[in-house]
Amino acid sequence: MDNQTVVSYFLLLEFSKSRHLQILYFFMFFLLYLATLTTNLLIISAVASDHRLHRPMYFFLMNLALQDLGSVSVIVPKCMMNFLLNTRYISYLGCVAQAFFFISFAASDFFLLTAMAYDRYVAICNPLQYETLISLKSCTEIVGLVWIVSFLYGTLHTTGIFSSSLCSNTVNQFFCNIPQLLKLSCSRINLIEVRIILVSAIVALACFTFIIISYAMIFKAVQRIPSEQGKLKALSTCIPHITVVSIFILTGFFVNMRRPSDTPSDLDLALTILYSLLPPLFNPIIYSMRNKNIKAVFFKLWRF
């Protein structure tokens, strides 16, 4: 063990020493946060207010919007506050809470996207059994299980990260994310965290495999639809989900598989923004652009 440090706070990444640039970054993050809040709240309001959207697919979508709201709200307000106050400070407990909630919301996103793949599979491959297999009661149970498992996973992951001794309190990122926190450990190998990461990889691979198999069976079923219009209608309900899953997996893969640099890097910053802030903004846009029911409710809310 090297120079062990008693950490009572952390220093986050400083974007710039220029006060004018800090104010500029504040407004950029504020506009990004405001846009994310607006798009996700519109989805939540639309599903909650219109009885035509009280169906399993939209229930899952509303919960995805709630999780996306949670993930950005955990990291962006603190970042904006630091810009305004010209500081890099975050308390130890604040960092623990930030890591815990971000991990939990990210995990819940992935689990929920897996459940949504099952929803599309049943809707297209077993339409006559859809009402029986995917009822609102079963959806509520699935979402409840997703939240419980995700927060349990966040607890285990956060405990694993912060159980080891830390040799530094400087996090080379704008929030307390996993790769940078692991680099602060005094020990080269954190056995608890290694086990958790191994289990996480197995679970993630299982979910990814389930999604791939579901869509393989969906595409096989679509090929049996006689009319081209029927094929396009079936595929159109899957395209938003495929797009969101692809963005989530690809951005997460590039960020978490890439070894973080020892010094602040523009590439690390860009990739972290890409996977932590942009998906919550674009997810509701992707779903609403290709869904006539949601767009109709949006126009109704806008006129009101």
Side-chain angles (χ1 to χ4, degrees):
M1 184 175 295
D2 298 323
N3 298 323
Q4 182 175 336
T5 303
V6 177
V7 175
S8 59
Y9 65 93
F10 292 91
L11 295 175
L12 299 175
L13 177 67
E14 185 177 42
F15 280 50
S16 173
K17 294 184 180 297
S18 169
R19 188 60 182 151
H20 295 293
L21 285 178
Q22 288 176 350
I23 299 299
L24 176 62
Y25 290 136
F26 167 81
F27 281 108
M28 289 172 59
F29 272 68
F30 173 75
L31 291 175
L32 180 62
Y33 186 52
L34 182 62
T36 304
L37 286 178
T38 302
T39 53
N40 283 282
L41 285 175
L42 277 173
I43 289 287
I44 296 169
S45 301
V47 176
S49 64
D50 196 285
H51 69 278
R52 292 174 298 176
L53 302 184
H54 292 174
R55 302 206 298 256
M57 181 178 71
Y58 300 109
F59 180 72
F60 286 135
L61 182 57
M62 182 177 69
N63 277 273
L64 183 66
L66 283 170
Q67 291 161 356
D68 286 339
L69 273 180
S71 66
V72 294
S73 298
V74 164
I75 58 179
V76 175
K78 177 59 179 176
C79 189
M80 292 192 301
M81 184 182 298
N82 282 353
F83 287 140
L84 278 182
L85 300 179
N86 190 23
T87 182
R88 302 165 55 191
Y89 171 87
I90 184 171
S91 67
Y92 182 89
L93 290 178
C95 189
V96 171
Q98 203 173 65
F100 165 73
F101 282 110
F102 185 78
I103 294 168
S104 299
F105 284 126
S108 64
D109 261 16
F110 193 35
F111 293 146
L112 188 59
L113 289 172
T114 304
M116 293 170 78
Y118 176 69
D119 171 74
R120 292 299 85 206
Y121 161 75
V122 175
I124 294 174
C125 297
N126 297 290
L128 297 179
Q129 300 180 30
Y130 184 77
E131 295 294 334
T132 303
L133 296 176
I134 310 291
S135 63
L136 283 177
K137 180 182 177 181
S138 63
C139 289
T140 303
E141 292 171 349
I142 291 172
V143 169
L145 182 62
V146 164
W147 283 104
I148 292 171
V149 173
S150 299
F151 281 112
L152 177 61
Y153 172 75
T155 301
L156 293 174
H157 221 329
T158 307
T159 302
I161 293 172
F162 289 94
S163 63
S164 61
S165 301
L166 303 177
C167 287
S168 173
N169 70 336
T170 302
V171 180
N172 290 326
Q173 201 46 264
F174 66 94
F175 72 99
C176 294
N177 68 335
I178 300 172
Q180 291 294 340
L181 289 172
L182 289 175
K183 289 187 66 64
L184 306 183
S185 176
C186 295
S187 56
R188 293 183 180 275
I189 300 178
N190 184 336
L191 293 178
I192 298 176
E193 185 62 15
V194 167
R195 295 190 188 101
I196 295 173
I197 291 175
L198 181 60
V199 173
S200 302
I202 294 172
V203 173
L205 182 61
C207 291
F208 179 70
T209 303
F210 180 85
I211 293 173
I212 294 297
I213 293 174
S214 297
Y215 273 104
M217 298 180 74
I218 287 172
F219 292 141
K220 186 177 179 180
V222 168
Q223 293 302 315
R224 294 197 295 266
I225 298 176
S227 67
E228 289 297 323
Q229 185 178 1
K231 290 180 180 179
L232 292 175
K233 184 178 180 181
L235 288 176
S236 66
T237 65
C238 299
I239 289 175
H241 182 259
I242 294 173
T243 305
V244 170
V245 169
S246 300
I247 292 173
F248 183 89
I249 291 176
L250 290 175
T251 55
F253 177 82
F254 280 118
V255 170
N256 291 296
M257 292 299 105
R258 183 177 182 275
R259 185 178 182 274
S261 57
D262 295 325
T263 56
S265 163
D266 290 339
L267 180 59
D268 283 339
L269 177 61
L271 287 174
T272 303
I273 291 176
L274 183 67
Y275 97 97
S276 62
L277 301 185
L278 296 188
L281 170 63
F282 288 115
N283 286 351
I285 296 174
I286 292 169
Y287 270 101
S288 60
M289 281 178 62
R290 300 189 61 88
N291 193 296
K292 294 180 180 179
N293 291 334
I294 291 180
K295 286 193 286 188
V297 177
F298 281 171
F299 288 130
K300 180 180 177 182
L301 290 174
W302 179 261
R303 287 196 303 269
F304 179 78

